[in-house]
DNA sequence: GATAAACATGTCGAAATCGCCATGACCATC
DNA sequence: GATGGTCATGGCGATTTCGACATGTTTATC
């Protein structure tokens, strides 16, 4: 099953905390310094009592080196911009023929995984 | 050419207009309807007199099927780079092990393609 | 228990966006 | 000239985030 039906603002606070703690291992104070935002704003964001503005969202994503799409819950991919994702970069180099091959291979992996997983 | 050193808010209005006109060929009214935002807000965004809030940004990206990172000018990639690409999207569904295998395979294809291309 | 770090929570005025609505410009086609 | 579609611009009150600051709570270490 896919990720959930939480509200965008709820996803955001979880993503922000996940990126800060698990991914970057920073304190709120450290992220505040890195992003140029006041520490209280970070706390409010993670508490869900505020949603970041245009500029704040940008600063957060830059400081954490994550995509804004990840913070907003629009993609599962935690790390780096899609462009910065080495997988995606490799993907960009593929021609149509190679893309087809890669797609087939991934389909094969997925089916194999389904069989191994059995019924749940 | 690369994008330059304009302010984030300036980049945004250009990206929004580019996505709406060139990419989706919608009128402001059409985008307004699609996103659920008032037409005047779209106009303000493209004029640069307003910057979108958390929710508005999300609605815009969804309606246009582009990444928020693109709208914010954090990536040069025109289209919804990651999640709009079916191949990349499929890869998100794989578990870590299969994801690595798929990555290896694509890296192999990419390198092979580089060799065939010869010089840089 | 004392101290400190990390965080939660809330208050405050200032500034910004919010949706809505009106007006005017521009440019087609009639 | 008249009509209609597209967009720019700005005013209005309402809502929200802004930065700054104060006050607790929890947890760990001494």
């Amino acid at each position: 099953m896919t990720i959930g039906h939480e509200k965008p603002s709820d996803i955001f606070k979880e993503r922000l905390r996940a990126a800060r703690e698990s991914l970057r291992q920073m304190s709120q104070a450290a992220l505040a310094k890195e992003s140029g935002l006041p520490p209280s704003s970070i706390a409010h964001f993670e508490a869900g009592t505020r949603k970041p503005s245009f500029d704040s969202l940008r600063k957060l994503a830059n400081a954490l080196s994550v995509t804004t799409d990840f913070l907003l819950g629009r993609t599962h991919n935690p790390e780096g911009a899609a462009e910065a994702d080495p997988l995606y970069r490799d993907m960009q180099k593929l021609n149509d023929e190679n893309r087809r091959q890669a797609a087939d291979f991934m389909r094969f992996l997925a089916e194999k995984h389904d069989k191994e997983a059995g019924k749940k």
Side-chain angles (χ1 to χ4, degrees), chain A:
Chain A
M1 66 170 67
T2 14
I3 290 296
H5 348 63
E6 316 171 72
K7 287 185 300 183
S9 44
D10 289 332
I11 301 183
F12 166 74
K13 66 182 184 187
E14 294 166 6
R15 291 286 170 96
L16 177 60
R17 175 153 300 180
R20 177 181 62 84
E21 287 183 343
S22 307
L23 210 121
R24 285 306 213 219
Q25 284 139 315
M26 308 169 86
S27 66
Q28 288 185 352
L31 176 56
K33 190 163 218 169
E34 187 69 24
S35 63
L37 294 170
S40 62
S41 288
I42 311 290
H44 277 294
F45 292 151
E46 292 188 3
T49 52
R50 280 192 200 171
K51 291 178 287 185
S53 68
F54 180 92
D55 287 324
S56 296
L57 178 63
R58 245 186 134 270
K59 290 175 181 173
L60 289 174
N62 286 340
L64 291 167
S65 295
V66 296
T67 63
T68 55
D69 291 273
F70 170 72
L71 290 180
L72 296 185
R74 301 188 75 242
T75 174
H76 304 271
N77 205 359
E79 185 94 21
E83 230 186 24
D85 189 339
L87 266 61
Y88 187 71
R89 247 202 297 262
D90 286 337
M91 228 175 76
Q92 297 273 63
K93 297 178 186 168
L94 304 181
N95 57 21
D96 289 350
E97 170 62 18
N98 283 347
R99 277 181 69 93
R100 244 192 313 280
Q101 293 176 4
D104 285 343
F105 182 62
M106 280 171 42
R107 221 176 335 268
F108 161 73
L109 287 177
E111 284 171 8
K112 180 172 147 231
H113 175 262
D114 280 354
K115 280 183 188 169
E116 284 171 358
K119 300 289 177 277
K120 270 284 163 73

